[in-house]
Amino acid sequence: PNIQTIADIGTGSGIIPISIAEKIERPLQVFATDMSRDALELASENAELKNTAIHFLQWDLLKPIIHQFWKEAPDEVLITANLPYVREVEINSGLIHEPRMAFLGGVQTGFELYERFFEQLLTWKSRPKKCHVVIEFWLWQRDIAETVFMWKNCSYTFFADLRGIERFGYITF
């Protein structure tokens, strides 16, 4: 109930912040970031179709959010991220036919983008007093995610998708 600001990192089509904004019946400040200008244009069109006010920012992961709140961050924020989590070998195998940037999460584990994301979050000097972070990762990356969360000294829980597979993380700072 105290969350007034939402930031979706790697927004793609914008479905996550649009859906959250539609469900919450109080004023929210909503931001969405992506590296791809094309993705942000599509997300902006989708937000307009749903009459949803979202500030779209092009830049690397959390950097535009950190820049937005470089002096004073909100007290409490929800950060969502469904970053690319496919490994290089999976893209090179011909299984992926979408833009490379939309899927490639790293060379070895596919979780490398998330590691950069958490590094940016943890080094954010004016970070909100309370951060709720929800992420999605691939089936076999749960142990990698848990190792990163423990290494970064995060409080976390995992929860399952509709098939019962734990591939979502809820992290708090």
Side-chain angles (χ1 to χ4, degrees):
N2 298 325
I3 295 172
Q4 300 295 319
T5 304
I6 295 173
D8 184 46
I9 311 306
T11 199
S13 69
I15 190 65
I16 293 172
I18 292 168
S19 297
I20 292 171
E22 283 185 326
K23 299 283 184 209
I24 305 296
E25 296 182 6
R26 59 182 158 74
L28 291 172
Q29 191 173 31
V30 183
F31 296 89
T33 73
D34 206 293
M35 291 284 294
S36 167
R37 181 178 307 282
D38 290 342
L40 289 173
E41 287 175 10
L42 174 62
S44 180
E45 290 171 15
N46 289 337
E48 284 179 33
L49 287 172
K50 293 293 194 171
N51 200 26
T52 304
I54 298 176
H55 304 283
F56 292 101
L57 307 165
Q58 184 181 12
W59 211 356
D60 181 40
L61 301 171
L62 274 167
K63 286 183 180 178
I65 303 302
I66 293 168
H67 182 73
Q68 181 75 29
F69 297 115
W70 71 276
K71 282 190 173 181
E72 185 178 348
D75 287 338
E76 194 166 356
V77 66
L78 169 64
I79 300 172
T80 56
N82 183 5
L83 299 175
Y85 47 69
V86 176
R87 295 177 296 176
E88 178 86 31
V89 68
E90 293 162 326
I91 288 178
N92 291 340
S93 71
L95 296 176
I96 306 297
H97 302 288
E98 299 291 328
R100 193 176 167 80
M101 149 188 261
F103 287 94
L104 183 61
V107 176
Q108 293 183 359
T109 66
F111 206 74
E112 289 92 336
L113 272 179
Y114 276 116
E115 290 182 50
R116 281 192 26 236
F117 166 81
F118 282 104
E119 191 61 37
Q120 288 179 7
L121 182 59
L122 291 169
T123 58
W124 182 1
K125 290 184 181 10
S126 63
R127 186 175 72 220
K129 293 175 186 149
K130 181 102 181 192
C131 289
H132 305 269
V133 181
V134 179
I135 67 167
E136 177 183 351
F137 46 86
W138 197 231
L139 308 172
W140 53 269
Q141 292 173 324
R142 184 194 183 280
D143 291 342
I144 296 167
E146 187 163 35
T147 300
V148 169
F149 301 157
M150 288 185 337
W151 180 55
K152 303 285 187 189
N153 200 24
C154 302
S155 297
Y156 63 92
T157 57
F158 293 106
F159 58 100
D161 64 13
L162 295 175
R163 297 176 303 181
I165 300 167
E166 284 188 337
R167 54 190 212 100
F168 297 98
Y170 171 64
I171 306 97
T172 55
F173 297 94

